[in-house]
């Protein structure tokens, strides 16, 4: 079990498949060829947990974490293959499966499906800090001073200043994340080039 008091850096975190689309559903393979198939021996190198909806595997290969899900208990002497349903998360799962296939075959995994840009990370951090300030009962002006520095906040014309509007938007973003919007960070779709 996961220790809620422990650091997430020190223990495996298991996500539900409906929340994290990079979890790869796997099934026993019906293929006669055993090449390019995943075996229980490889899965045993990771951590396996049973849940009410099946078995979750956190597999660490070449310094990367790969997350798998099985409906049935893992069986010895069986080979496994990815099962990718044609749903809204197909592209994300297919990318995750391809990365796993590449590392199992001694190749570099390639880039992750999505990564937050430094600007997006900074904005989300500011939004959470702004939310904390608002929950503690601070005014937008006090929050803005904490986020951007008191020197940048004008004595007059605060009601029409850009930093006031930006602070309000950051607080709104923080509330949206708190109310479940953080899940969208797990489902980001790559922008078309």
């Amino acid at each position: 079990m996961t220790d809620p008091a422990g650091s997430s850096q020190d223990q495996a975190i298991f996500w539900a498949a409906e929340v994290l689309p990079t979890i790869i559903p796997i099934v026993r393979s019906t293929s006669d060829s055993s090449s390019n198939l995943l075996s229980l021996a490889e899965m045993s190198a990771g951590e396996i947990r049973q849940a009410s909806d099946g078995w979750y595997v956190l597999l660490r290969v070449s310094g990367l974490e790969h997350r798998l899900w099985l409906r049935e208990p893992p069986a010895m002497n069986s080979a496994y293959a990815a099962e990718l349903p044609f749903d809204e998360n197909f592209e994300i799962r297919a990318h995750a499966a391809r990365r796993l296939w590449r590392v199992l075959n001694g190749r570099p995994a390639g880039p992750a499906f999505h990564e937050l840009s430094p600007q997006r990370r900074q904005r989300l951090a500011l939004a959470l800090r702004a939310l904390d300030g608002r929950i503690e009962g601070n005014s937008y002006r006090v929050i803005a001073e904490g986020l951007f520095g008191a020197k940048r906040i004008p004595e007059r014309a605060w009601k029409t200043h850009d930093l006031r509007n930006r602070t309000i938007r950051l607080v709104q973003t923080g509330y949206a994340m708190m109310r479940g919007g953080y899940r969208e960070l797990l489902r980001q779709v790559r922008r078309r080039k």
Side-chain angles (χ1 to χ4, degrees), residues 3-188:
D3 178 11
S7 167
S8 64
Q9 303 295 328
D10 300 330
Q11 56 189 330
I13 304 297
F14 289 85
W15 292 85
E18 65 271 8
V19 174
L20 187 64
T22 56
I23 294 175
I24 307 165
I26 59 173
V27 294
R28 285 191 194 148
S29 176
T30 56
S31 173
D32 292 335
S33 169
S34 62
S35 65
N36 295 327
L37 295 176
L38 184 65
S39 71
L40 182 60
E42 290 161 326
M43 286 190 284
S44 297
E47 295 190 40
I48 301 175
R49 300 274 168 88
Q50 183 180 10
S52 60
D53 63 341
W55 295 79
Y56 287 84
V57 179
L58 178 59
L59 184 62
R60 291 181 179 91
V61 182
S62 300
L64 297 173
E65 290 184 349
H66 304 273
R67 296 169 187 278
L68 314 172
W69 174 75
L70 302 89
R71 280 187 198 93
E72 301 172 356
M76 291 301 277
N77 301 324
S78 290
Y80 291 88
E83 179 183 63
L84 304 175
F86 288 115
D87 62 7
E88 63 195 18
N89 294 316
F90 173 80
E91 188 176 12
I92 298 170
R93 285 193 191 100
H95 188 82
R98 181 173 185 268
R99 290 183 80 209
L100 175 60
W101 176 85
R102 289 177 61 91
V103 297
L104 290 175
N105 287 287
R107 297 170 61 189
F113 190 78
H114 70 278
E115 291 182 12
L116 296 177
S117 69
Q119 296 84 3
R120 177 100 165 121
R121 284 179 188 267
Q122 181 183 21
R123 179 170 164 65
L124 292 172
L126 286 174
L128 293 177
R129 289 178 56 203
L131 173 65
D132 286 344
R134 193 64 177 174
I135 288 174
E136 290 176 5
N138 294 312
S139 69
Y140 290 125
R141 183 183 195 103
V142 170
I143 294 168
E145 287 175 358
L147 295 177
F148 306 113
K151 290 182 180 180
R152 291 187 59 192
I153 310 302
E155 289 296 322
R156 296 180 178 208
W158 166 246
K159 292 277 187 187
T160 59
H161 197 274
D162 177 59
L163 286 181
R164 178 180 182 269
N165 295 333
R166 186 173 174 196
T167 302
I168 291 170
R169 286 191 308 269
L170 287 170
V171 169
Q172 289 170 343
T173 299
Y175 273 120
M177 288 177 58
M178 182 178 76
R179 293 183 180 124
Y182 67 90
R183 291 182 178 140
E184 293 306 311
L185 297 174
L186 301 174
R187 296 189 175 279
Q188 286 198 358

